[in-house]
Amino acid sequence: MTSRLRYSPWDGTQVVFDVDALDVMEELTDDLLYSGDVNAALRRLLQEGMTDRDGRRLEGLTDLIERLRERREELLANSDLGSAVEGIGQELTEITDMERAEMDCQEAAARASGDEEWARSAQESFTNKRFDLDLMPPDLAGQMKALDRYDFTSDEAAERFEALTERLRGQLLDQAFNQMSGAMANLSPEELARNRDMMAELNSMLEARSEGREPDFEGFMERFGDMFPENPQDLDELLEALARRMAATQALMNSLSPEQRAELAALSEQIMSDLGLNFEMSRLADNLRQMFPDAGWSARYDTSGFDPLDLAQASELMSELGDLDSLQGLLRSAATPGALGEVDLDRLSELMGPEAAEQVERLAELTRQLQEAGLIDTKEGRLELTPAGLRRLGQNALAQVFRQLRNDQLGTHDHPDIGVGHEPAYVTRPWEWGDPFRVDLHATVRNAVLREAAEGRRPTGRVSLSPDDFEIAETEHQVRAATVLMLDLSLSMPMRDYFLPAKRVAMALHGLITMQFPRDYLGIVGFSEVARVLRADQLPEASWDYVYGTNMAHGFQLARELLAHEQGTKQILMVTDGEPTAHIGPSGEPQFQYPPSQATIDATLTEVGRCTRAGIRINTFMLEPDGGLARFVERLTQINGGRAFFADPQNLGEFVLVDFVEQRRKLLRQR
């Protein structure tokens, strides 16, 4: 298949919202760190929207729903729905006034002619006609029926009444069949009969379907397809559109006062009774109500404005209000970007402008973008992070943490220990006798070219090397670190808003080690009432435990067991907000007590001693300025020789990551 592209001159208005899958993933990072639920994170993004790299805003569903609500309130506040019925009465009054004026004029002319017979005949005739007009029923249907039988004296009044009748008939039909090609423009008896036949055949197809028979939709479209320029592709599409339109008509009736509703119903019966139109329309509405009970048949709107409406405008108002309500309901219920595929973007564009439709379209594409980038995938009906998504989440967490660091905290340390390791130090120096021959070709050739130029040699296209030209690339020693991050998952962590910063650090450490120290080991242990080992792919979904207890002893035990199988420098980084309040008792069950019991303190310090004898350094990051925690950590560091920090949740990542990198550099300097 070949792609077709369309180009147009740049006029400064073609500004589009520009994000890719990585931008979307960065926007989701905190939500994924907090809950690990891709579906929940996408729901939040749907509701709140996001900002692209150029600062342009993609509205969320909350913003769009608010705009739909404001548009709805604006329509209701400005419109006078009752005027649709009252206006018909006013026009009938104007027609009868026109007729009376013409009779007065002709009667005066007869008297002025001097012809007594003509004057007497005119007076008698006009007296009877005035009597007929005076006796017209007060309701609109009665007036329309009386005037339909009335012999007008005024040709202008007769023409105006004829035009009113045709207009009302067209508007009443238009309520159910909006924008039907040709049907509303020419309401001749033949066209009216064709409208009736079309509705009768629709009713027959509905009844055939209810009996289990297949309706002849293709044949129907051959006979009446010109009346539906939107070209529905099947019977369901056609019927759903008709149901929405007829439900809007019913909403109009529901929104009128009881008196106005009765007036309009009787008027419809009077005008549409010709050729059985009213019967077929009522029959079709009943059938559609049964098929589409949720189309909004019971909707009702209270208008409070002063803008007058005719019947057609009132019907269009009901249709617009119904579509606004439908769109609001659909957007409110959208739990995933894919659910937005049900939104009628063309209708949304008509109601709220093309920008709103484009925003919804972009929101609907978010899941596809992430899936095509390989960051998420569907497993057992749920969206989950892929390994690539997990790595990206760690990178984003790392970037968030490193953005908080001051310039003097990373990247300014000298590395005096240059040797024959494997990692490049990105430093060169002249080769000396006995050095390993790790030639830096760029520096060596540059030295030769500069030397020949200094000697005044003319370029020949060839470079001659001398021993003084050789430059070697220095390397730094490699060390391997094995780290276990102990993450407090007790209930107090989310209660104090510490959980997200702590989890962000865990993901950042994973990202740092994966990207910069791939030979290092990182284990993760979560601890609350008991401790458990977490795999890296489980970390995004790890959450706090709805239990009381901070079992550091069990956490140290599991961390020590993980590090027992690793080589290199071993350390534990513990992030916690409370002193130990639980340990595993003799029965093998966790025992909790607050304030901490001496048994819990002793069990925890026993594990600290075992870690110390195993050569494991314990560095503790305290999130809560608690005196009991500080006293315990002081005893811990005295036994182990590690360090303790009080870290504000906002700079927790700064402390942990700077410490991790700095420890590696110290190890390098010690070699």
Short mmCIF file of all heavy atoms in Angstrom, two decimals, residues 323-360:
data_model
loop_
_atom_site.label_atom_id
_atom_site.label_comp_id
_atom_site.label_asym_id
_atom_site.label_seq_id
_atom_site.Cartn_x
_atom_site.Cartn_y
_atom_site.Cartn_z
N ASP A 323 -26.86 15.43 22.53
CA ASP A 323 -25.51 14.99 22.16
C ASP A 323 -24.48 15.42 23.20
O ASP A 323 -23.53 14.69 23.49
CB ASP A 323 -25.14 15.55 20.79
CG ASP A 323 -25.89 14.85 19.66
OD1 ASP A 323 -26.45 13.76 19.91
OD2 ASP A 323 -25.92 15.39 18.54
N LEU A 324 -24.66 16.62 23.76
CA LEU A 324 -23.74 17.07 24.82
C LEU A 324 -23.82 16.15 26.03
O LEU A 324 -22.80 15.76 26.61
CB LEU A 324 -24.08 18.50 25.23
CG LEU A 324 -23.72 19.62 24.23
CD1 LEU A 324 -24.31 20.95 24.69
CD2 LEU A 324 -22.22 19.74 24.06
N ASP A 325 -25.05 15.77 26.42
CA ASP A 325 -25.22 14.85 27.55
C ASP A 325 -24.60 13.49 27.24
O ASP A 325 -23.96 12.86 28.10
CB ASP A 325 -26.69 14.69 27.88
CG ASP A 325 -27.27 15.93 28.56
OD1 ASP A 325 -26.48 16.79 28.98
OD2 ASP A 325 -28.51 16.04 28.64
N SER A 326 -24.82 13.02 26.01
CA SER A 326 -24.28 11.72 25.62
C SER A 326 -22.76 11.74 25.64
O SER A 326 -22.12 10.80 26.13
CB SER A 326 -24.79 11.35 24.23
OG SER A 326 -24.22 10.14 23.79
N LEU A 327 -22.15 12.80 25.13
CA LEU A 327 -20.70 12.91 25.12
C LEU A 327 -20.15 12.99 26.54
O LEU A 327 -19.13 12.37 26.86
CB LEU A 327 -20.26 14.13 24.32
CG LEU A 327 -20.35 14.01 22.80
CD1 LEU A 327 -20.17 15.37 22.14
CD2 LEU A 327 -19.31 13.03 22.27
N GLN A 328 -20.83 13.76 27.39
CA GLN A 328 -20.37 13.83 28.79
C GLN A 328 -20.39 12.47 29.45
O GLN A 328 -19.45 12.08 30.14
CB GLN A 328 -21.27 14.79 29.57
CG GLN A 328 -21.02 16.26 29.30
CD GLN A 328 -21.76 17.15 30.27
OE1 GLN A 328 -21.51 17.14 31.46
NE2 GLN A 328 -22.70 17.93 29.76
N GLY A 329 -21.47 11.73 29.24
CA GLY A 329 -21.56 10.40 29.83
C GLY A 329 -20.50 9.46 29.32
O GLY A 329 -19.89 8.69 30.08
N LEU A 330 -20.22 9.53 28.02
CA LEU A 330 -19.21 8.66 27.42
C LEU A 330 -17.82 9.02 27.93
O LEU A 330 -17.01 8.13 28.26
CB LEU A 330 -19.27 8.79 25.90
CG LEU A 330 -18.43 7.81 25.08
CD1 LEU A 330 -18.76 6.37 25.44
CD2 LEU A 330 -18.65 8.05 23.59
N LEU A 331 -17.52 10.31 28.05
CA LEU A 331 -16.20 10.72 28.53
C LEU A 331 -16.03 10.39 30.01
O LEU A 331 -14.94 10.01 30.45
CB LEU A 331 -16.00 12.21 28.31
CG LEU A 331 -15.95 12.68 26.84
CD1 LEU A 331 -15.71 14.18 26.76
CD2 LEU A 331 -14.89 11.93 26.04
N ARG A 332 -17.10 10.53 30.80
CA ARG A 332 -17.00 10.20 32.22
C ARG A 332 -16.74 8.71 32.44
O ARG A 332 -16.06 8.32 33.39
CB ARG A 332 -18.30 10.60 32.93
CG ARG A 332 -18.43 12.08 33.23
CD ARG A 332 -19.52 12.33 34.26
NE ARG A 332 -19.67 13.76 34.53
CZ ARG A 332 -20.59 14.53 33.98
NH1 ARG A 332 -21.47 13.99 33.13
NH2 ARG A 332 -20.68 15.80 34.28
N SER A 333 -17.30 7.88 31.59
CA SER A 333 -17.18 6.43 31.78
C SER A 333 -15.94 5.85 31.12
O SER A 333 -15.68 4.66 31.27
CB SER A 333 -18.43 5.73 31.23
OG SER A 333 -18.54 5.93 29.83
N ALA A 334 -15.19 6.67 30.39
CA ALA A 334 -14.01 6.16 29.68
C ALA A 334 -12.93 5.79 30.69
O ALA A 334 -12.35 6.67 31.33
CB ALA A 334 -13.50 7.19 28.68
N ALA A 335 -12.64 4.51 30.83
CA ALA A 335 -11.64 4.05 31.79
C ALA A 335 -10.28 3.86 31.15
O ALA A 335 -9.26 3.82 31.83
CB ALA A 335 -12.10 2.74 32.44
N THR A 336 -10.23 3.71 29.83
CA THR A 336 -8.98 3.53 29.11
C THR A 336 -9.01 4.39 27.86
O THR A 336 -10.09 4.75 27.37
CB THR A 336 -8.76 2.06 28.70
OG1 THR A 336 -9.80 1.68 27.77
CG2 THR A 336 -8.81 1.15 29.91
N PRO A 337 -7.84 4.75 27.30
CA PRO A 337 -7.84 5.51 26.06
C PRO A 337 -8.61 4.82 24.94
O PRO A 337 -9.24 5.47 24.11
CB PRO A 337 -6.34 5.63 25.73
CG PRO A 337 -5.67 5.55 27.06
CD PRO A 337 -6.48 4.58 27.86
N GLY A 338 -8.58 3.47 24.90
CA GLY A 338 -9.29 2.76 23.85
C GLY A 338 -10.79 3.00 23.86
O GLY A 338 -11.45 2.94 22.82
N ALA A 339 -11.34 3.28 25.06
CA ALA A 339 -12.79 3.52 25.15
C ALA A 339 -13.21 4.77 24.41
O ALA A 339 -14.39 4.93 24.05
CB ALA A 339 -13.21 3.61 26.62
N LEU A 340 -12.27 5.68 24.15
CA LEU A 340 -12.60 6.92 23.44
C LEU A 340 -12.87 6.68 21.97
O LEU A 340 -13.30 7.59 21.26
CB LEU A 340 -11.47 7.93 23.61
CG LEU A 340 -11.21 8.40 25.04
CD1 LEU A 340 -10.06 9.39 25.07
CD2 LEU A 340 -12.45 9.03 25.63
N GLY A 341 -12.59 5.46 21.49
CA GLY A 341 -12.90 5.14 20.10
C GLY A 341 -14.39 5.20 19.81
O GLY A 341 -14.80 5.25 18.65
N GLU A 342 -15.23 5.17 20.87
CA GLU A 342 -16.67 5.23 20.69
C GLU A 342 -17.18 6.66 20.49
O GLU A 342 -18.34 6.86 20.15
CB GLU A 342 -17.37 4.62 21.92
CG GLU A 342 -17.02 3.16 22.18
CD GLU A 342 -17.49 2.26 21.04
OE1 GLU A 342 -18.58 2.51 20.51
OE2 GLU A 342 -16.75 1.33 20.70
N VAL A 343 -16.32 7.65 20.71
CA VAL A 343 -16.76 9.04 20.60
C VAL A 343 -16.91 9.41 19.13
O VAL A 343 -16.05 9.12 18.30
CB VAL A 343 -15.73 9.98 21.27
CG1 VAL A 343 -16.11 11.44 21.04
CG2 VAL A 343 -15.64 9.68 22.75
N ASP A 344 -18.03 10.05 18.79
CA ASP A 344 -18.28 10.56 17.44
C ASP A 344 -17.48 11.86 17.29
O ASP A 344 -17.92 12.93 17.71
CB ASP A 344 -19.77 10.81 17.23
CG ASP A 344 -20.10 11.22 15.81
OD1 ASP A 344 -19.18 11.64 15.07
OD2 ASP A 344 -21.29 11.15 15.42
N LEU A 345 -16.28 11.76 16.70
CA LEU A 345 -15.40 12.91 16.60
C LEU A 345 -15.97 14.00 15.71
O LEU A 345 -15.76 15.20 15.96
CB LEU A 345 -14.02 12.48 16.09
CG LEU A 345 -13.23 11.53 17.00
CD1 LEU A 345 -11.90 11.16 16.36
CD2 LEU A 345 -12.99 12.17 18.37
N ASP A 346 -16.71 13.61 14.67
CA ASP A 346 -17.31 14.62 13.79
C ASP A 346 -18.34 15.45 14.56
O ASP A 346 -18.38 16.68 14.43
CB ASP A 346 -17.97 13.95 12.58
CG ASP A 346 -16.96 13.32 11.65
OD1 ASP A 346 -15.80 13.77 11.66
OD2 ASP A 346 -17.32 12.37 10.92
N ARG A 347 -19.18 14.78 15.33
CA ARG A 347 -20.18 15.51 16.10
C ARG A 347 -19.53 16.35 17.19
O ARG A 347 -19.94 17.48 17.44
CB ARG A 347 -21.18 14.52 16.72
CG ARG A 347 -22.34 15.17 17.47
CD ARG A 347 -23.11 16.14 16.60
NE ARG A 347 -24.31 16.65 17.26
CZ ARG A 347 -24.89 17.79 16.94
NH1 ARG A 347 -24.39 18.55 15.97
NH2 ARG A 347 -25.98 18.19 17.58
N LEU A 348 -18.48 15.82 17.84
CA LEU A 348 -17.76 16.59 18.84
C LEU A 348 -17.15 17.84 18.22
O LEU A 348 -17.16 18.91 18.82
CB LEU A 348 -16.67 15.73 19.48
CG LEU A 348 -15.80 16.41 20.55
CD1 LEU A 348 -16.65 16.89 21.72
CD2 LEU A 348 -14.71 15.46 21.04
N SER A 349 -16.63 17.71 17.01
CA SER A 349 -16.07 18.85 16.31
C SER A 349 -17.13 19.89 16.02
O SER A 349 -16.89 21.10 16.14
CB SER A 349 -15.40 18.40 15.01
OG SER A 349 -14.83 19.49 14.32
N GLU A 350 -18.34 19.44 15.64
CA GLU A 350 -19.43 20.38 15.38
C GLU A 350 -19.83 21.12 16.65
O GLU A 350 -20.11 22.32 16.62
CB GLU A 350 -20.64 19.63 14.83
CG GLU A 350 -20.45 19.04 13.44
CD GLU A 350 -21.62 18.16 13.03
OE1 GLU A 350 -22.63 18.15 13.77
OE2 GLU A 350 -21.54 17.51 11.98
N LEU A 351 -19.86 20.42 17.77
CA LEU A 351 -20.35 21.00 19.02
C LEU A 351 -19.29 21.87 19.70
O LEU A 351 -19.61 22.93 20.24
CB LEU A 351 -20.80 19.90 19.98
CG LEU A 351 -22.02 19.08 19.56
CD1 LEU A 351 -22.21 17.91 20.50
CD2 LEU A 351 -23.27 19.95 19.54
N MET A 352 -18.03 21.41 19.72
CA MET A 352 -17.01 22.06 20.53
C MET A 352 -15.81 22.56 19.73
O MET A 352 -14.88 23.12 20.30
CB MET A 352 -16.51 21.10 21.62
CG MET A 352 -17.61 20.56 22.52
SD MET A 352 -18.48 21.84 23.40
CE MET A 352 -17.17 22.50 24.40
N GLY A 353 -15.83 22.35 18.42
CA GLY A 353 -14.72 22.80 17.60
C GLY A 353 -13.74 21.68 17.29
O GLY A 353 -13.65 20.70 18.02
N PRO A 354 -12.96 21.85 16.21
CA PRO A 354 -12.03 20.78 15.79
C PRO A 354 -10.93 20.50 16.80
O PRO A 354 -10.40 19.39 16.85
CB PRO A 354 -11.46 21.33 14.46
CG PRO A 354 -11.71 22.80 14.49
CD PRO A 354 -12.96 23.00 15.28
N GLU A 355 -10.54 21.50 17.62
CA GLU A 355 -9.47 21.26 18.59
C GLU A 355 -9.89 20.23 19.64
O GLU A 355 -9.08 19.39 20.03
CB GLU A 355 -9.09 22.57 19.28
CG GLU A 355 -8.36 23.55 18.38
CD GLU A 355 -7.90 24.78 19.14
OE1 GLU A 355 -8.13 24.84 20.36
OE2 GLU A 355 -7.30 25.66 18.51
N ALA A 356 -11.15 20.30 20.07
CA ALA A 356 -11.62 19.32 21.05
C ALA A 356 -11.60 17.92 20.48
O ALA A 356 -11.20 16.95 21.15
CB ALA A 356 -13.03 19.68 21.52
N ALA A 357 -12.02 17.78 19.22
CA ALA A 357 -12.01 16.46 18.58
C ALA A 357 -10.58 15.95 18.44
O ALA A 357 -10.30 14.76 18.64
CB ALA A 357 -12.69 16.55 17.22
N GLU A 358 -9.65 16.86 18.12
CA GLU A 358 -8.25 16.45 17.97
C GLU A 358 -7.68 16.00 19.32
O GLU A 358 -6.92 15.04 19.40
CB GLU A 358 -7.43 17.61 17.42
CG GLU A 358 -5.96 17.27 17.21
CD GLU A 358 -5.15 18.45 16.74
OE1 GLU A 358 -5.75 19.48 16.38
OE2 GLU A 358 -3.91 18.35 16.74
N GLN A 359 -8.06 16.70 20.40
CA GLN A 359 -7.57 16.34 21.73
C GLN A 359 -8.03 14.93 22.10
O GLN A 359 -7.25 14.12 22.61
CB GLN A 359 -8.11 17.33 22.76
CG GLN A 359 -7.73 18.78 22.48
CD GLN A 359 -6.64 19.30 23.42
OE1 GLN A 359 -5.91 18.52 24.02
NE2 GLN A 359 -6.54 20.59 23.53
N VAL A 360 -9.31 14.63 21.86
CA VAL A 360 -9.83 13.30 22.18
C VAL A 360 -9.13 12.25 21.32
O VAL A 360 -8.80 11.15 21.80
CB VAL A 360 -11.35 13.26 21.98
CG1 VAL A 360 -11.87 11.82 22.09
CG2 VAL A 360 -12.05 14.13 23.02
#
